[in-house]
Amino acid sequence: MIEARRLHILRAVADHRTVTAAAAALYLTPSAVSQQLTALEQETGHRLVERSAKGVRLTPAGEILLSHTNAVLAQLERAEAELAAYGSGAAGTVTVASFATGIAQVVAPAVARLASSAPGIRIRVQDAEGDASLPMVLDRQVDVAVAVEYRGAPSADDPRLTHVPLYAEPFDAVVPVSHRLADATEIPLADLAKDPWIGPYPGNPCHEVVVLACESAGFQPRLEHSSDDFRAVVALASADAGVALVPRSALRGMDLTGVVVRPVDGLAPTRRVFAAVRRGAEEHPLIRPVLDALDEAARV
């Protein structure tokens, strides 16, 4: 009989590609993870992982088991949801991980809505970028992620996750007031090819959006300054340190003295935001109201 707990460990190893990283995500020791993998191999009668200097990869037998693992774990999430519903599920804690602007845009309004519509649900919020929050959901560190689509992110049909689209917003060009294009109604990205750029660090989903938009305009942005805080990005632009692309919602309420904000000419780069939970957990009586509240906040 295969233990579901060991299937969860197998998926973590496949996701993180090293025993050490999987162990850290699961709050286990590397030796405990190795022991559980060995026990799983004994249960199945197959070698499931191969170790090398570069990490761990699944064998063909391991890949077969992983495909069933996603379905099994999703079904277990559904079972927990139904049992929680049977037991009313009227009270409990749901942990939500989101990037900072997402917290302001939809998470905080959702918390306010739930305070009146579902007072038994307590929300714990953690600030985390989209590339960090999705692994946190898969590793059961949080229940819900509010994340951004980015290159390499799990797709909407990923068997491990259920996606709930929330909102999409354009990036606007931010240039110093002294910039040669400051008087333009719209700014073509190609006209910024020779400028120094300010933007998020590699790994941040917004970094990917900016780089892809510039590549589509025919150039690689010369990123001279990096910050994941858009207030810092705008402050640097106001100091004439460079130009930037910033999501429109991130500019709300910000001190824009010293900069000009203009729409991008043509097809503007877009940040697409969604909520994600482990597949099967979307109807859990604690999680469903949270997803609904996030959706309602996004519509407003």
Side-chain angles (χ1 to χ4, degrees), residues 95-97 124 126 132-145 278:
T95 304
V96 180
R124 293 181 63 247
Q126 296 185 21
S133 62
L134 294 175
M136 290 167 73
V137 167
L138 291 170
D139 294 333
R140 303 182 71 89
Q141 296 173 10
V142 301
D143 302 302
V144 181
R278 292 180 295 278

Side-chain angles (χ1 to χ4, degrees), residues 3-4 8 43 62 71 81 88 92-93 132 144 146 153 155 161 171 198-200 209 218 225 239 242 244 255 265 295:
E3 286 192 17
H8 182 59
E43 287 173 347
S88 82
T93 300
V144 181
V146 174
S155 62
L161 296 167
F171 282 65
I198 312 157
V209 174
H225 309 284
D255 181 6
D265 184 25
D295 181 63

Side-chain angles (χ1 to χ4, degrees), residues 27 43 188 202 207 275:
Y27 300 102
E43 287 173 347
H207 173 90

